[in-house]
């Protein structure tokens, strides 16, 4: 029995499903495996349905970027609300988010997006803008050298996790996180 009639009533759900399938295909097959035909087929959505949400591959990558950045912003905002110390608050929230990426359901999406960031100038520009916006927004509390160093180290960990270039056990990760948090407090 077809569920197409149910999906039309839930466009947000279909859009999210398409993003998840695109992330999975990219993770399994690389960026070349993310074609509109492959995504629509794997998601069980007509190509017209896919094109309704994402008219081309770049729109699909932009959608994935928007989805993941939205979740990152939400996670950071939640972490910041729970941190009573203003100095370095954004940095500590960013650290928590990056350290949690390894364990989150969105880890695969972030892996795909990170690879796309490296190869797509348009996405790199969007990431640079996100970083610049946050630096401007939190410059009064997170502009110290220690905060910048902590965020850059977290980005290095993010890349190491993506590439699986280092075997870092949980005790070492906890120690690394603690040291980076101490940098954000200087």
């Amino acid at each position: 029995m077809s569920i197409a009639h149910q999906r039309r009533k839930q466009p947000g759900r279909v859009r999210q499903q398409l993003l998840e399938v695109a992330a999975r295909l990219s993770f399994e097959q690389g960026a070349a495996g993310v074609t509109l035909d492959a995504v629509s087929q794997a998601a069980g959505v007509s190509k017209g349905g896919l094109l309704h949400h994402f008219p081309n591959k770049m729109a699909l990558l932009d959608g994935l970027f928007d989805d993941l950045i939205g979740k990152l912003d939400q996670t950071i905002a939640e972490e910041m609300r729970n941190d009573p110390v203003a100095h370095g608050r954004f940095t500590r929230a960013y650290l928590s988010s990056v350290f949690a990426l390894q364990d989150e359901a969105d880890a695969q999406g972030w892996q795909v997006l990170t690879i796309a960031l490296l190869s797509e100038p348009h996405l790199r520009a969007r990431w640079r803008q996100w970083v610049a916006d946050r630096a401007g927004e939190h410059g009064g509390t997170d502009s110290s050298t220690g905060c910048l160093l902590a965020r850059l180290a977290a980005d290095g960990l993010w890349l190491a996790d993506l590439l699986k270039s280092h075997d870092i056990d949980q005790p070492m990760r906890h120690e690394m996180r603690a040291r980076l948090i101490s940098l954000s407090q200087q």
Side-chain angles (χ1 to χ4, degrees):
M1 178 166 103
S2 172
I3 60 169
H5 68 283
Q6 294 172 341
R7 280 198 293 244
R8 270 183 253 150
K9 296 176 186 173
Q10 299 176 359
R13 191 172 183 187
V14 172
R15 185 178 195 286
Q16 190 62 40
Q17 178 186 4
L18 291 166
L19 291 172
E20 289 168 5
V21 167
R24 181 178 49 81
L25 287 175
S26 182
F27 182 73
E28 292 171 355
Q29 302 173 17
V34 181
T35 65
L36 297 181
D37 286 330
V39 171
S40 67
Q41 184 177 17
V45 174
S46 70
K47 186 152 182 198
L50 170 70
L51 292 172
H52 171 75
H53 294 282
F54 305 105
N56 55 47
K57 185 175 177 178
M58 185 51 71
L60 187 60
L61 290 173
D62 274 333
L64 184 60
F65 182 92
D66 292 339
D67 184 58
L68 293 171
I69 288 295
K71 290 175 182 176
L72 178 62
D73 281 334
Q74 182 178 2
T75 301
I76 288 173
E78 289 171 13
E79 290 284 334
M80 289 179 68
R81 276 192 294 275
N82 296 326
D83 187 341
V85 179
H87 178 76
R89 181 182 294 148
F90 170 76
T91 297
R92 287 186 296 280
Y94 183 77
L95 290 170
S96 291
S97 299
V98 170
F99 273 81
L101 284 177
Q102 181 185 28
D103 305 323
E104 289 185 3
D106 291 323
Q108 195 174 66
W110 278 108
Q111 290 175 339
V112 170
L113 185 60
T114 304
I115 292 166
L117 286 170
L118 296 174
S119 63
E120 293 291 338
H122 167 73
L123 291 176
R124 274 196 313 274
R126 291 192 68 197
W127 177 254
R128 276 193 307 272
Q129 188 61 54
W130 183 88
V131 170
D133 289 348
R134 296 319 168 277
E137 185 178 344
H138 303 289
T141 59
D142 289 74
S143 61
S144 70
T145 301
C147 285
L148 179 58
L149 184 58
R151 291 191 308 272
L152 290 172
D155 290 347
L157 176 68
W158 180 357
L159 186 59
D161 286 347
L162 170 72
L163 298 174
K164 298 184 185 338
S165 61
H166 296 74
D167 291 325
I168 305 171
D169 62 17
Q170 284 305 318
M172 177 65 79
R173 289 177 82 81
H174 289 294
E175 183 179 342
M176 290 169 62
R177 185 170 184 265
R179 287 190 182 199
L180 293 175
I181 285 173
S182 71
L183 283 175
S184 76
Q185 296 167 335
Q186 298 176 359

